[in-house]
Amino acid sequence: MIKMSQKFFIKIATDPDVDPVKCVVGMACAAQAVTAGHDVDVFFAAAGVRNLNLGQFEKMAENGDVDVNLLNGIMDKLVEGAKLHCSFGSVASVLGKKEGENGLVIPDEKLSWEGPPQVIELSAAADTVLVY
């Protein structure tokens, strides 16, 4: 049986301080799609950009929500195999950070700083869209 690769667009907009499990599920599904050999775009927007904040994974682990090593492993898989995007406006308003500051868990060179036009473009081009 030949397995065809599909294009996945996964948008994570949930605040990890409000619903950490939903955030972990979204990132884990994205990592699974990468592992399965699919073309994956992950877009962090709105309060979901908190998942990119330095120290956020440790905060989630301290609250007993999930193991920090699991989160780091998921993010490593995404950095190595997915195309990662974030809302420049959300990062500025939620985290008070800007592109080029290297202030997120993902190095700037591995992250596309974008906005609503790219969300529309990426979701329209995808075979499957998941929103967490």
Side-chain angles (χ1 to χ4, degrees):
M1 177 177 173
I2 297 174
K3 189 175 180 182
M4 295 186 60
S5 178
Q6 291 197 3
K7 186 160 182 57
F8 280 80
F9 175 70
I10 301 168
K11 182 176 168 187
I12 299 176
T14 297
D15 188 334
D17 292 340
V18 175
D19 194 346
V21 174
K22 188 175 189 178
C23 295
V24 172
V25 169
M27 290 185 287
C29 286
Q32 181 57 45
V34 168
T35 299
H38 297 293
D39 181 9
V40 179
D41 285 281
V42 181
F43 200 108
F44 293 89
V49 299
R50 279 203 176 94
N51 290 287
L52 304 177
N53 203 21
L54 294 168
Q56 181 64 42
F57 290 170
E58 290 76 12
K59 181 179 176 183
M60 292 164 74
E62 286 172 13
N63 292 336
D65 298 319
V66 69
D67 179 63
V68 71
N69 295 319
L70 173 68
L71 288 169
N72 286 327
I74 288 170
M75 189 57 75
D76 289 346
K77 175 61 79 175
L78 295 178
V79 168
E80 100 186 18
K83 291 183 261 349
L84 302 174
H85 313 264
C86 71
S87 164
F88 60 86
S90 296
V91 171
S93 66
V94 174
L95 301 178
K97 298 179 182 182
K98 295 183 271 189
E99 182 177 6
E101 294 179 341
N102 283 313
L104 305 176
V105 296
I106 300 170
D108 276 1
E109 65 273 6
K110 300 278 187 180
L111 189 61
S112 296
W113 293 68
E114 301 175 322
Q118 290 75 32
V119 170
I120 300 304
E121 180 182 316
L122 292 166
S123 60
D127 299 308
T128 302
V129 175
L130 304 173
V131 179
Y132 291 92

